[in-house]
Amino acid sequence: MHRLFAELEPSVTVTEQNLADRVRYILRSNTFDVTELERLRREAVPSSGENAAAEDAAPQLAEQTANVDAAVNTPVVVDSNDDETVAQELELEQMRSTLEEAIVETRSTTLENRPRLPRLALSKRNRAVVRALNPMLVTYLEASRDLCDTDSILFGAALAVCRIIGAKLSTAGRATGQSSAIPAWRIRIEERIAKARALIGRLICFRSGNTRPRIVRTVRMAFAGTNVSLSQPDIMQKLTERIDDLKQRIAAWGKRIRRYTERSTRFNQNRLFQKRLYKSLERPIVSGTGPAPNQADMVAFWRSLWSDP
């Protein structure tokens, strides 16, 4: 290996041990991804005419070449953003089959029924997967028929990346929407109400004489940041004030939910009324046909509507 390196880089002075240590460090630290290692291996491996000279090199050359081949064909371990070691198999054949299945599935799926793709973190592992899939897309893109087919190919590639790295995909299509789901703000307010009710229960238990360690710890957390101590003579009054404050907050949060719910209901009703109104305006006007309405029936009909508070 040292003899071959000296022929390739005669201007660089390095010892045999130093060169072996650097190669071993590069292989163990996984500085390069699968695609980069494959390119370096093709550039570094001598041609058939130079094989005879390479066979006379030091035993370390064969060992390091085998390590390079093993690094290409075995799972690659890279460091994620939070310095945790992640092991993931990046075999090219499996990735190619996953890409082909994703493209075929995307081509047969309408745009409305495609899953929503999550936002991926820019980690070394994710970038390695993308770099390995990019060369595979050339064949599909060259055979693309139109812009829609190109869009299906690119979306299938993104879907394949998510499946390879194990990202969670949404099962609902794009056209489903989130109209029937509970809004995030309401979930947050309901969680606050549930925590406040649980805290009120603990405070009432402590006020009733329950001094279990869990109850006492919760009461101390409720008065954290204040000058209230459990050994004060007016602790019962402080507990009552704290409970009343939590009850008022729960009532305010409940009114907020009801106010937003009523506003949403009015908005949906107005929108439905506008649709019916516009639809009626689009119909042809027919006048002078049929019997005239009865006055008593009209009064009874509108009285039943407007007499309701």
Side-chain angles (χ1 to χ4, degrees):
M1 181 178 61
H2 183 267
R3 185 185 309 171
L4 180 60
F5 183 80
E7 295 176 0
L8 296 176
E9 300 290 341
S11 60
V12 179
T13 303
V14 63
T15 62
E16 297 180 358
Q17 184 63 39
N18 190 6
L19 181 62
D21 293 340
R22 292 187 179 184
V23 173
R24 190 179 300 108
Y25 171 77
I26 292 174
L27 293 175
R28 290 182 178 179
S29 61
N30 296 284
T31 307
F32 304 102
D33 54 17
V34 178
T35 307
E36 192 71 15
L37 283 175
E38 180 66 21
R39 185 182 64 81
L40 294 175
R41 187 184 66 82
R42 289 195 302 265
E43 294 178 359
V45 172
S47 60
S48 58
E50 299 174 349
N51 287 337
E55 290 177 356
D56 298 334
Q60 290 86 352
L61 176 61
E63 178 182 357
Q64 298 301 330
T65 304
N67 289 335
V68 173
D69 295 334
V72 175
N73 300 320
T74 56
V76 178
V77 180
V78 296
D79 293 335
S80 60
N81 292 333
D82 52 359
D83 297 335
E84 293 181 358
T85 305
V86 181
Q88 180 73 26
E89 287 192 6
L90 298 178
E91 297 181 1
L92 297 180
E93 293 299 328
Q94 294 183 358
M95 296 175 63
R96 186 175 290 106
S97 62
T98 304
L99 176 63
E100 184 176 359
E101 292 176 0
I103 293 177
V104 172
E105 179 182 347
T106 305
R107 284 174 173 173
S108 60
T109 306
T110 59
L111 181 63
E112 294 78 10
N113 295 329
R114 289 181 181 178
R116 290 183 176 271
L117 301 181
R119 186 184 298 272
L120 302 180
L122 296 179
S123 62
K124 291 184 179 180
R125 174 170 169 264
N126 297 345
R127 291 178 179 177
V129 175
V130 174
R131 291 174 183 173
L133 286 180
N134 282 337
M136 303 178 188
L137 291 176
V138 178
T139 306
Y140 296 97
L141 294 176
E142 290 179 351
S144 177
R145 301 183 300 271
D146 50 14
L147 186 59
C148 295
D149 192 26
T150 303
D151 176 73
S152 300
I153 294 172
L154 296 178
F155 189 88
L159 181 62
V161 171
C162 294
R163 290 179 177 176
I164 291 173
I165 66 177
K168 185 177 181 181
L169 298 175
S170 176
T171 57
R174 297 185 178 182
T176 303
Q178 303 292 336
S179 58
S180 61
I182 301 177
W185 60 265
R186 181 168 181 173
I187 295 177
R188 290 193 297 267
I189 294 178
E190 290 178 350
E191 290 178 354
R192 294 176 188 172
I193 292 175
K195 292 181 180 179
R197 288 175 176 172
L199 182 57
I200 289 175
R202 298 286 178 84
L203 295 177
I204 292 176
C205 290
F206 181 80
R207 189 175 60 179
S208 301
N210 191 341
T211 58
R212 288 185 300 175
R214 186 176 182 181
I215 301 295
V216 174
R217 183 169 60 251
T218 305
V219 174
R220 288 178 179 174
M221 292 176 60
F223 289 104
T226 61
N227 296 327
V228 178
S229 175
L230 300 184
S231 59
Q232 292 180 358
D234 58 343
I235 185 61
M236 294 302 173
Q237 181 181 356
K238 298 294 183 181
L239 287 172
T240 304
E241 294 176 357
R242 182 60 174 166
I243 292 173
D244 293 340
D245 179 67
L246 291 174
K247 288 182 179 180
Q248 292 178 7
R249 291 188 180 185
I250 292 175
W253 290 332
K255 290 181 179 179
R256 184 181 302 177
I257 292 177
R258 287 193 297 270
R259 185 171 62 253
Y260 280 108
T261 303
E262 292 175 357
R263 188 265 176 190
S264 178
T265 303
R266 289 196 304 269
F267 176 78
N268 293 331
Q269 290 177 352
N270 292 335
R271 186 173 55 181
L272 292 175
F273 174 76
Q274 291 175 359
K275 289 182 178 179
R276 296 184 60 183
L277 176 62
Y278 295 151
K279 187 178 296 184
S280 64
L281 293 177
E282 293 175 355
R283 297 176 183 175
I285 301 176
V286 179
S287 60
T289 60
N294 188 4
Q295 181 179 1
D297 295 338
M298 291 181 61
V299 171
F301 174 77
W302 288 107
R303 181 173 294 169
S304 63
L305 294 179
W306 292 103
S307 62
D308 189 358

